[in-house]
């Protein structure tokens, strides 16, 4: 039940929106009200936030943060066409402005139609500095029917484009294409969709439009088709042109062009409505071209994204000397982020994130103080400082890119859950010539499959995969199984891209209560093994069998130990493992306290029956010896400065690894080894796999594997060239014994 306060707040918001809509109908202000124009400027991440700037008396100026409030923020945002303000920021969060500080000590009730109606010291009366410039963050929702009205006709070109909405409207023959890449550009202003006259339209404008719709580039279109169509359709032009530099993240970042004289059908007589034609990235090729195949060698990319919850977002990593490393966030901005996004086949960047916001990497920091023009083909072409002095992984840069609308979310849904992040998985499938909703067979359903579902729905990472969903009453008409045998690699964008049975379904348990289900989360942990610790702590120990009885009971020795006498010795390859949680959520075992397994011999609980696999492989990949580590104790051994330990195993305590902490399994702990008693001297590959059964969801599984080259001469053992999975180029991994590759990243 809503509280009286929340109902009053909603009523007040609706009243404010109604008041502004009325103002749109009657734009007359009380006599004597100063005529002003507002804009959001400065170091913006999104078009609906920024430093508040006021145009008055022929000059742009700022607003001081003294006495500013959310009520004043609401007035600013509504004057710009947004429903309300989300927050406001003092102390020049969006950078220091220039010129006059027009308003100080602003007091608004929240119902004013313009900031000029609010009480203040008066225009130009201020004792503030630009370090006190105020900023606002507006709601993304536009006021329905809001019409952009230029009150200062001589200053139109200093304003950003302000419209309700933007769309690419395809012609009838193109409407079934996914993604939609070509069509008329239309803006919604005053509640009506309008075209733009193409007389001053440029390639830079098209580049911005394509970028905001998730496409890395633009191309020419067939003008003949659109000239024929233009003669038949009634045109309704917008009253302004558009002037983009090509670096803006969306049309809202562009400046208005010249004012267009609206003369009915005679408007834009010498031109046509603007048409854009975008080039999709390779992963988003239009559906009608899926049957086309071309022989090409996929080149090793120089830039990649890691740790992101959704398509087109993640921590930025670059390849240098055959090794992947991160980018320091010093000087990181939307221009550099957009270069990354377009390079990877996405559109422009929605956000340039700093401070390890999408998880911290491991290994080197390759680039610092990156400066891009915005038109580079690759981030590696931008200027950067090769010395990342003082940069830690707490400063790893990340991006969120605009991606094409692929209609993925309309082909799958979660049903019956307590919130939008959980429920029974239901997919849209063809049956007897029509599309029907049905369930997914839960046989072989696991965390990897669940992660694809969460990504497809834009809900982040998989928290859990369920093979029974009787507690989630879904749509009864969708109980029938329409998809079975699902097996995913984890890289798919949709569940339909995973391996699955065709028309002949096979699901012995059926759907209904046994249908597949998921729960999703916006964040996830990310476990990474410290390869150097393993390399530096490896040694051999000959240990008598009579003190290995507990380890033998837990199957930590090779099979030949079953017939060994108590006086014999086992040769153990011992090492320490330091496991970091570099994600955004604590790593917790899936099993609850009550289901942990007690092991009497070692007198401890196992919260995860298998936490790591230890394997010794021949150079051709054949397993010659193995070990495993049940997580009898997941705890915070040590943490980064400023982070408190949360998990400790003593006294049946909570188990887990806190973000920014690590759990160290020392070399002298039982089962922290591989039994190499039966191994003959030679060269081998030593491999460690964390969370091998994907029992707990993580943001990145590629870095859960560590490999080392290993040489055993019968008496001693050498461990060298240790590396984490995904930390090196594919060529370097294949030739790790021959050393690292040459530079693939230049410096200017």
């Amino acid at each position: 039940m809503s509280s009286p306060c929340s109902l009053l707040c909603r009523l007040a918001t609706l009243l404010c929106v109604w008041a502004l809509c009325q103002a749109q109908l009657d734009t007359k202000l009380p006599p004597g009200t100063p005529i002003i124009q507002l804009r959001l400027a400065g170091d913006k991440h999104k078009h609906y936030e920024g430093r508040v700037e006021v145009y008055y008396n022929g000059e742009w100026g700022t607003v001081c943060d003294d006495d500013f409030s959310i009520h004043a923020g609401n007035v600013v945002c509504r004057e710009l066409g947004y429903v309300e303000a989300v927050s406001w920021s003092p102390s020049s969060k969006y950078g220091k402005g220039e010129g006059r500080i027009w308003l100080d000590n602003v007091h608004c009730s929240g119902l004013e139609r313009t900031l000029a109606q609010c009480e203040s010291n008066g225009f130009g009366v201020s004792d503030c500095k630009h370090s006190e410039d105020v900023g606002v963050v507006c709601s993304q929702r536009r006021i329905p029917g809001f019409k952009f009205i230029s009150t200062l006709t001589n200053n139109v070109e200093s304003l950003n484009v302000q419209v309700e909405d933007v769309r690419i409207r395809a012609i009838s023959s193109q409407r079934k294409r996914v993604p939609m890449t070509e069509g008329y550009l239309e803006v919604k202003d005053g509640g009506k969709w309008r075209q733009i006259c193409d007389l001053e339209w440029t390639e830079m404008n098209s580049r911005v439009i394509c970028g905001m719709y998730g496409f890395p580039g633009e191309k020419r279109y067939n003008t003949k088709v659109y000239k024929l169509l233009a003669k038949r359709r009634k045109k309704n032009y917008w009253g302004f042109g558009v002037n983009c530099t090509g670096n803006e993240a969306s049309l809202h970042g562009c400046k208005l062009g010249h004012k267009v004289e609206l003369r009915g059908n005679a408007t834009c007589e010498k031109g046509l409505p603007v048409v854009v034609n975008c080039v999709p990235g390779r992963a988003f090729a239009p559906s009608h071209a899926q049957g086309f195949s071309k022989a090409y060698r996929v080149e090793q990319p120089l830039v990649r994204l890691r740790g992101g919850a959704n398509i087109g977002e993640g921590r930025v990593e670059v390849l240098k000397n055959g090794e992947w490393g991160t980018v320091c966030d010093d000087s990181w901005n939307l221009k550099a982020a957009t270069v990354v996004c377009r390079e990877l086949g996405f559109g422009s960047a929605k956000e340039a994130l700093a401070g390890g916001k999408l998880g911290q990497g491991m290994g080197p920091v390759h680039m610092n103080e990156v400066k891009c023009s915005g038109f580079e083909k690759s981030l590696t072409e931008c200027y950067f400082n090769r010395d990342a002095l003082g940069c830690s992984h707490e400063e790893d840069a990340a991006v969120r890119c605009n991606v094409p609308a692929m209609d993925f979310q309309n082909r799958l849904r979660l049903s019956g859950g307590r919130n939008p992040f959980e429920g029974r998985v239901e997919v849209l499938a063809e049956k007897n010539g029509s599309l029907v909703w049905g369930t997914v067979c839960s046989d072989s359903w696991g965390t990897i499959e669940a992660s694809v579902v969460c990504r497809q729905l834009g809900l982040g990472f998989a928290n859990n995969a369920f093979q029974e969903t009787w507690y989630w009453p879904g749509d009864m008409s969708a109980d029938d199984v329409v998809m079975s045998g699902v097996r995913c690699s984890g890289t798919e964008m949709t569940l339909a891209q995973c391996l699955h049975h065709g028309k002949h379904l096979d699901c012995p348990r059926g759907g209904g209560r046994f249908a597949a289900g998921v729960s999703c989360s916006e964040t996830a942990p990310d476990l990474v093994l410290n390869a150097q610790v393993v390399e530096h702590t490896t040694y051999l120990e000959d240990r008598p069998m009579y003190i290995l009885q507990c380890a033998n009971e837990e199957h930590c020795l090779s099979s030949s130990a079953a017939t060994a006498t108590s006086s014999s010795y086992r040769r153990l390859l011992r090492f320490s493992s330091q496991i970091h949680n570099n994600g955004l959520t604590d790593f917790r075992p899936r099993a609850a306290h009550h289901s942990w397994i007690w092991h009497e011999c070692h007198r401890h609980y196992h919260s995860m029956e298998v936490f790591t696999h230890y394997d010794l492989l021949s150079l051709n990949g054949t397993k010659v010896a193995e070990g495993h580590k049940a997580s009898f104790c997941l705890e915070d051994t040590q943490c980064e400065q400023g982070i408190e330990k949360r998990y400790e195993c003593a006294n049946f305590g909570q188990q887990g690894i806190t973000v920014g902490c690590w759990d160290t399994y020392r070399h002298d702990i039982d089962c922290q080894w591989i039994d190499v008693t039966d191994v003959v001297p030679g060269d081998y590959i030593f491999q460690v796999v964390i969370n091998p059964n994907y029992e707990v969801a993580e943001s990145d599984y590629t870095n859960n594997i560590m490999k080392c080259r290993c040489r055993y001469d019968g008496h001693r053992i050498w461990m060298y060239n240790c590396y984490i999975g995904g930390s090196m180029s594919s060529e370097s991994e294949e030739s790790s014994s021959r050393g690292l590759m040459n530079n693939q990243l230049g410096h200017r």
Side-chain angles (χ1 to χ4, degrees):
M1 182 180 291
S2 299
S3 66
C5 177
S6 65
L7 288 172
L8 286 171
C9 292
R10 289 178 189 172
L11 188 60
T13 301
L14 289 171
L15 185 62
C16 291
V17 174
W18 175 84
L20 188 70
C21 289
Q22 289 299 107
Q24 291 287 301
L25 299 175
D26 180 10
T27 57
K28 292 181 180 178
L29 292 168
T33 303
I35 297 175
I36 64 170
Q37 187 76 53
L38 299 183
R39 70 181 181 189
L40 300 180
D43 303 327
K44 299 186 292 183
H45 295 292
K46 310 176 188 76
H47 65 269
Y48 47 86
E49 66 176 338
R51 181 177 62 246
V52 179
E53 293 195 349
V54 180
Y55 188 78
Y56 174 73
N57 200 25
E59 185 181 348
W60 283 102
T62 62
V63 178
C64 183
D65 59 18
D66 291 351
D67 294 336
F68 200 85
S69 68
I70 193 66
H71 300 301
N74 281 329
V75 173
V76 168
C77 291
R78 288 198 300 271
E79 194 168 353
L80 289 168
Y82 300 99
V83 169
E84 61 186 345
V86 174
S87 63
W88 65 277
S89 305
S91 307
S92 63
K93 175 185 175 182
Y94 297 98
K96 297 179 183 179
E98 296 178 349
R100 303 282 293 274
I101 297 176
W102 277 129
L103 293 172
D104 187 10
N105 297 112
V106 177
H107 292 269
C108 302
S109 69
L111 293 175
E112 294 86 354
R113 281 155 45 187
T114 170
L115 197 64
Q117 285 184 288
C118 298
E119 292 182 16
S120 69
N121 293 349
F123 279 86
V125 182
S126 172
D127 58 358
C128 295
K129 298 177 181 178
H130 280 298
S131 58
E132 300 171 84
D133 287 343
V134 77
V136 298
V137 179
C138 300
S139 162
Q140 295 185 53
R141 290 182 297 138
R142 289 283 189 172
I143 296 170
F146 185 91
K147 184 168 179 59
F148 177 84
I149 301 169
S150 174
T151 55
L152 305 168
T153 54
N154 295 329
N155 197 54
V156 167
E157 292 169 40
S158 68
L159 298 175
N160 283 28
V161 174
Q162 296 285 343
V163 290
E164 281 182 64
D165 203 357
V166 186
R167 73 180 182 187
I168 297 175
R169 190 172 66 82
I171 59 176
S172 56
S173 61
Q174 305 260 359
R175 282 177 190 164
K176 291 185 179 179
R177 295 183 70 178
V178 178
M180 187 166 56
T181 58
E182 180 183 338
Y184 289 106
L185 176 67
E186 297 186 338
V187 296
K188 195 175 188 182
D189 185 28
K192 294 182 179 180
W193 287 103
R194 306 174 191 273
Q195 298 88 41
I196 298 175
C197 179
D198 71 353
L199 286 179
E200 296 183 355
W201 192 259
T202 66
E203 286 186 8
M204 291 299 100
N205 293 352
S206 292
R207 172 183 166 88
V208 171
I209 298 299
C210 290
M212 72 182 285
Y213 280 101
F215 304 113
E218 74 294 330
K219 63 180 180 180
R220 296 183 181 278
Y221 61 92
N222 186 345
T223 55
K224 291 181 181 179
V225 173
Y226 290 95
K227 280 181 180 177
L228 287 171
L229 288 170
K231 292 177 181 178
R232 304 174 195 165
R233 7 188 356 259
K234 184 180 178 182
K235 293 177 280 296
N236 181 19
Y237 283 106
W238 191 45
F240 301 93
V242 174
N243 185 14
C244 304
T245 66
N247 269 326
E248 294 85 356
S250 73
L251 184 65
H252 302 287
C254 299
K255 299 293 184 187
L256 282 176
H258 292 126
K259 195 167 184 180
V260 174
E261 186 181 350
L262 300 177
R263 296 181 297 151
N265 288 336
T267 307
C268 195
E269 274 185 310
K270 296 180 180 179
L272 295 167
V274 165
V275 174
V276 292
N277 189 11
C278 304
V279 180
R282 181 181 290 167
F284 304 100
S287 54
H288 74 270
Q290 284 181 355
F292 179 79
S293 62
K294 179 181 178 182
Y296 62 86
R297 181 178 179 273
V298 178
E299 294 182 4
Q300 174 76 54
L302 296 179
V303 179
R304 70 182 185 185
L305 301 182
R306 280 291 184 271
N310 297 303
I311 301 165
E313 69 178 42
R315 178 178 62 252
V316 180
E317 297 187 351
V318 293
L319 188 65
K320 179 183 178 183
N321 295 343
E323 185 176 13
W324 289 99
T326 60
V327 177
C328 186
D329 62 14
D330 293 349
S331 304
W332 187 248
N333 60 21
L334 274 175
K335 283 186 181 179
T338 290
V339 171
V340 170
C341 291
R342 291 186 188 272
E343 178 180 2
L344 295 175
F346 305 114
S348 50
K350 290 188 288 188
E351 289 184 78
L353 299 162
K357 288 286 177 60
L358 295 185
Q360 297 181 24
M362 291 280 283
V365 178
H366 280 330
M367 300 178 79
N368 186 20
E369 297 173 11
V370 178
K371 294 182 176 63
C372 302
S373 70
F375 294 98
E376 292 85 354
K377 295 294 184 186
S378 170
L379 186 70
T380 59
E381 295 176 9
C382 299
Y383 168 83
F384 68 96
N385 182 349
R386 73 169 59 174
D387 298 316
L389 298 175
C391 271
S392 68
H393 287 296
E394 293 176 357
E395 301 171 86
D396 283 345
V399 298
R400 284 197 175 102
C401 307
N402 286 311
V403 297
M406 297 295 292
D407 199 33
F408 290 157
Q409 298 182 13
N410 297 325
R411 305 175 200 173
L412 184 145
R413 68 188 183 190
L414 301 185
S415 182
R418 297 162 297 180
N419 57 62
F421 284 81
E422 67 177 23
R424 184 175 81 174
V425 179
E426 296 177 359
V427 297
L428 197 59
E430 188 174 333
K431 192 173 182 181
N432 299 327
S434 59
L435 291 174
V436 296
W437 287 100
T439 57
V440 178
C441 184
S442 63
D443 288 355
S444 76
W445 186 257
T447 305
I448 300 297
E449 289 71 32
S451 69
V452 174
V453 169
C454 294
R455 186 187 303 121
Q456 181 175 348
L457 292 172
L459 298 177
F461 304 105
N463 211 14
N464 277 300
F466 301 94
Q467 294 190 340
E468 287 190 20
T469 50
W470 53 268
Y471 35 78
W472 286 332
D475 186 342
M476 289 185 65
S477 65
D479 276 355
D480 291 345
V481 173
V482 295
M483 181 181 278
S484 65
V486 180
R487 287 294 181 103
C488 305
S489 68
T491 60
E492 298 87 355
M493 290 192 287
T494 69
L495 198 64
Q497 292 174 353
C498 298
L499 290 173
H500 60 275
H501 296 150
K503 294 181 180 178
H504 303 290
L505 303 174
D506 180 18
C507 189
R509 293 199 301 171
R513 61 171 291 179
F514 294 111
V518 302
S519 65
C520 306
S521 172
E522 293 179 330
T523 55
D526 182 22
L527 297 189
V528 187
L529 190 68
N530 189 323
Q532 285 186 325
V533 169
V534 174
E535 191 167 337
H536 295 163
T537 58
T538 306
Y539 64 97
L540 290 176
E541 181 192 11
D542 290 336
R543 197 166 179 83
M545 189 67 195
Y546 66 85
I547 58 174
L548 291 171
Q549 293 307 311
C550 284
N552 199 27
E553 282 185 23
E554 292 190 15
H555 310 291
C556 296
L557 300 174
S558 62
S559 56
S560 63
T563 57
T565 62
S566 60
S567 59
S568 62
Y569 282 76
R570 308 300 297 180
R571 177 157 290 185
L572 307 175
L573 168 59
R574 308 201 71 151
F575 53 91
S576 295
S577 59
Q578 190 183 94
I579 299 165
H580 294 244
N581 182 1
N582 287 354
L584 299 175
T585 302
D586 294 352
F587 184 93
R588 300 294 310 279
R590 182 189 298 178
H593 254 79
H594 68 273
S595 60
W596 292 357
I597 299 171
W598 174 256
H599 282 252
E600 180 64 31
C601 196
H602 275 133
R603 300 194 64 77
H604 56 233
Y605 283 95
H606 286 193
S607 57
M608 292 174 66
E609 198 53 33
V610 178
F611 179 52
T612 50
H613 279 166
Y614 307 140
D615 296 315
L616 198 64
L617 311 172
S618 67
L619 296 183
N620 66 10
T622 305
K623 190 183 296 184
V624 296
E626 65 180 356
H628 78 280
K629 191 67 181 177
S631 74
F632 67 87
C633 175
L634 272 176
E635 65 180 1
D636 297 325
T637 307
Q638 204 168 340
C639 299
E640 293 171 5
Q641 189 173 359
I643 297 176
E644 292 185 11
K645 298 179 182 179
R646 297 182 60 185
Y647 303 105
E648 188 176 4
C649 299
N651 301 318
F652 197 35
Q654 292 288 339
Q655 292 192 21
I657 307 176
T658 304
V659 174
C661 300
W662 54 91
D663 186 3
T664 300
Y665 284 89
R666 284 174 51 86
H667 57 84
D668 53 3
I669 296 174
D670 254 11
C671 297
Q672 186 62 26
W673 62 55
I674 292 181
D675 183 352
V676 295
T677 306
D678 306 318
V679 174
V680 299
D683 288 317
Y684 298 96
I685 296 170
F686 173 59
Q687 177 177 281
V688 178
V689 184
I690 309 169
N691 192 16
N693 299 331
Y694 310 115
E695 195 172 321
V696 176
E698 297 185 48
S699 61
D700 187 358
Y701 289 110
T702 61
N703 57 19
N704 283 25
I705 300 175
M706 188 215 71
K707 291 185 179 182
C708 302
R709 290 301 304 272
C710 178
R711 173 163 291 180
Y712 174 49
D713 69 357
H715 306 284
R716 294 169 297 174
I717 198 157
W718 292 268
M719 202 77 74
Y720 61 98
N721 282 5
C722 294
Y723 65 92
I724 299 297
S727 66
M728 298 169 68
S729 69
S730 53
E731 290 88 353
S732 294
E733 288 192 13
E734 291 171 8
S735 58
S736 60
S737 60
R738 297 196 299 272
L740 297 176
M741 302 287 286
N742 294 328
N743 273 344
Q744 295 188 47
L745 177 61
H747 168 68
R748 297 181 186 179

